Amino acid sequence: MSKPGATAEANRQDPKDTIFAKIVAGQIPCKKVYEDDLCLVFDDIAPCAPVHCLIIPKKPIGGVSDLDGEEHKKILGHMMVTIPKVAEIKGIDGYRLVINEGVHGCQSVRWLHIHIIGGKQLSWPPGCNV
């Protein structure tokens, strides 16, 4: 199953030229849920559940395959400990985290982002409907 926008061209794009760069810069509005010095959380524009947020680092990182070094460990660790705060803000006690990487992983924006999905019972197993 393919995802609109998850193309080889989109995955070659410099993260600094993506829609998320414009959101971080304040050039494109978003429904902000949480923000601090390292990350931004906003509602997904095409939610698949009652709660569907994206948490992104403010620093441009293309994806999981681009993670390297102590700075990235600090950023990703910070994002992970921020997720329970977001769940509390959104009033959910269970959720799924999804990171898409590359074309076959259905990554449509070349900027590391974690989907926080919840607010209903989710099906299992995820991503296995091939």
Side-chain angles (χ1 to χ4, degrees):
M1 173 182 271
S2 65
K3 176 182 172 191
T7 64
E9 182 180 344
N11 277 270
R12 284 190 299 270
Q13 189 173 24
D14 186 321
K16 295 175 185 171
D17 296 329
T18 66
I19 189 170
F20 290 171
K22 293 175 181 153
I23 290 172
V24 168
Q27 298 168 342
I28 294 178
C30 66
K31 291 185 180 179
K32 195 179 301 182
V33 174
Y34 176 88
E35 181 176 20
D36 61 29
D37 292 342
L38 295 178
C39 66
L40 174 64
V41 182
F42 52 92
D43 288 331
D44 194 295
I45 60 169
C48 66
V51 173
H52 187 168
C53 302
L54 300 177
I55 180 169
I56 66 171
K58 287 188 169 179
K59 177 184 175 90
I61 302 169
V64 171
S65 62
D66 297 315
L67 293 171
D68 182 30
E70 293 303 314
E71 181 184 16
H72 288 171
K73 287 180 187 179
K74 178 182 176 184
I75 292 169
L76 196 57
H78 177 77
M79 290 169 65
M80 294 305 289
V81 299
T82 299
I83 290 168
K85 295 176 188 176
V86 173
E88 184 176 347
I89 290 167
K90 292 302 240 177
I92 56 175
D93 62 356
Y95 45 89
R96 178 171 295 153
L97 305 177
V98 176
I99 301 174
N100 300 320
E101 178 65 24
V103 175
H104 290 146
C106 292
Q107 184 177 12
S108 57
V109 178
R110 190 74 192 148
W111 186 297
L112 177 67
H113 55 287
I114 302 171
H115 297 258
I116 305 167
I117 303 167
K120 71 173 189 175
Q121 180 66 55
L122 302 171
S123 63
W124 189 261
C128 294
N129 55 345
V130 293

